[in-house]
Amino acid sequence: MATLSTTAIPAPLTPTGAARLLVLRNFIVYKAAWKLFLTGFLEPVLYLFSIGIGVGQLIDTFEFHGEQVPYAAFVAPAMLATSAFNGALLDSTFNVFFKLKYEKLYDQMLATPLTTGDIARGEIAWGLIRGSVYSAAFLVVMLVMGLVDSWWAVLALPAAVLIAFAFSAVCMALTTWMKSWQDFDKITLAQMPLFLFSATFFPVEAFGDGVLRWVVEATPLYRGVVLCRELTTGVVTWESAVSVVYLVAMGIAGLLVVRRRLDKLLLT
């Protein structure tokens, strides 16, 4: 009597396993181009040296929530948040656009057991990792320079990870609407005001009590700057809780939008 042979059927991928595969794929690709990672990290460091330390020579101390802190210690956590912002933005816009529109990588992935949800989670996770690496390196710079004044700073890296998650998700969502490389001028147009007017180099009180201050306080990078600044200086207020809720909601909303947009672009 003949014996029937059975072929093992691989277990279906879990969402975590699928995201891990995409992260591994990106790691292998970038391993040979590690120098690209330096761009997003060096910009905040140079700003810290030129403005935080250079201008700081002209300003003895700076008031923050009633506490006197060195100007460099005021600017540094803003640059920490900016590091997470830069890493997430670079990967979730330029690189995602190329994969989506030109390389057609996601179309190829959908020929495998991967789903659009897996692609969204994997790419957002990679953008989060890139932003987190920038932030971790910058936090080391802050420690070496003596710009960390509180044990609350141990939460600064998780805070930076949250910032990277929020921006990675939203930036990837926005990228799905882009039609050409010229659309990236809009990214630059939004990136620079966010950087300059998120209480990065001066307190939000400088805007007075009008509408402009409310607009600034509602921007995502400002919420990230507040969170990192309060943690590294040890002056933690209710604004940190507001920032955490804001960034979590922003990241989840971005993830949901990315999933819907990829369904529309790749499955119809």
Side-chain angles (χ1 to χ4, degrees):
M1 181 176 176
T3 303
L4 294 177
S5 61
T6 58
T7 302
I9 300 176
L13 284 172
T14 63
T16 303
R20 189 184 300 117
L21 285 176
L22 266 73
V23 169
L24 178 60
R25 181 262 173 200
N26 286 331
F27 172 75
I28 293 172
V29 170
Y30 276 96
K31 188 165 62 172
W34 59 270
K35 293 180 181 178
L36 294 176
F37 272 65
L38 294 177
T39 56
F41 164 69
L42 286 177
E43 182 180 349
V45 171
L46 293 176
Y47 270 110
L48 176 62
F49 287 158
S50 63
I51 297 180
I53 296 177
V55 177
Q57 298 297 318
L58 307 176
I59 304 173
D60 292 332
T61 58
F62 206 80
E63 184 174 340
F64 178 63
H65 288 318
E67 300 287 336
Q68 296 295 323
V69 299
Y71 184 65
F74 178 84
V75 172
M79 295 297 99
L80 175 63
T82 302
S83 295
F85 168 55
N86 282 346
L89 182 142
L90 287 171
D91 220 283
S92 298
T93 53
F94 294 94
N95 293 333
V96 166
F97 182 78
F98 180 75
K99 295 172 186 176
L100 179 65
K101 299 292 185 180
Y102 291 91
E103 195 175 18
K104 301 296 182 182
L105 179 64
Y106 302 145
D107 297 87
Q108 300 169 44
M109 288 181 176
L110 291 177
T112 72
L114 293 176
T115 67
T116 53
D118 296 329
I119 294 172
R121 285 185 292 269
E123 291 291 7
I124 289 171
W126 177 250
L128 180 157
I129 290 172
R130 184 168 181 177
S132 301
V133 169
Y134 288 174
S135 300
F138 192 85
L139 191 56
V140 171
V141 173
M142 289 178 62
L143 287 168
V144 171
M145 295 176 63
L147 299 177
V148 175
D149 300 320
S150 169
W151 285 104
W152 279 102
V154 299
L155 298 177
L157 184 57
V161 172
L162 178 58
I163 294 167
F165 164 63
F167 277 103
S168 181
V170 169
C171 288
M172 185 174 179
L174 294 174
T175 300
T176 61
W177 272 283
M178 294 185 183
K179 303 296 184 182
S180 68
W181 292 109
Q182 283 71 28
D183 288 336
F184 281 89
D185 290 340
K186 301 171 186 175
I187 295 292
T188 305
L189 185 63
Q191 181 183 13
M192 188 56 67
L194 279 177
F195 171 60
L196 294 176
F197 299 102
S198 293
T200 310
F201 302 111
F202 50 86
V204 71
E205 288 80 8
F207 294 108
D209 297 322
V211 176
L212 182 57
R213 175 172 174 176
W214 299 346
V215 171
V216 169
E217 290 180 336
T219 58
L221 186 55
Y222 171 80
R223 301 309 334 170
V225 169
V226 166
L227 182 58
C228 290
R229 184 171 283 150
E230 292 195 352
L231 291 173
T232 56
T233 58
V235 187
V236 181
T237 69
W238 61 270
E239 284 200 58
S240 289
V242 171
S243 296
V244 169
V245 173
Y246 181 110
L247 294 169
V248 168
M250 176 180 166
I252 293 174
L255 177 59
L256 294 175
V257 172
V258 170
R259 171 68 184 274
R260 287 179 174 271
R261 286 292 298 162
L262 291 181
D263 283 346
K264 183 175 181 179
L265 292 172
L266 301 175
L267 300 181
T268 58

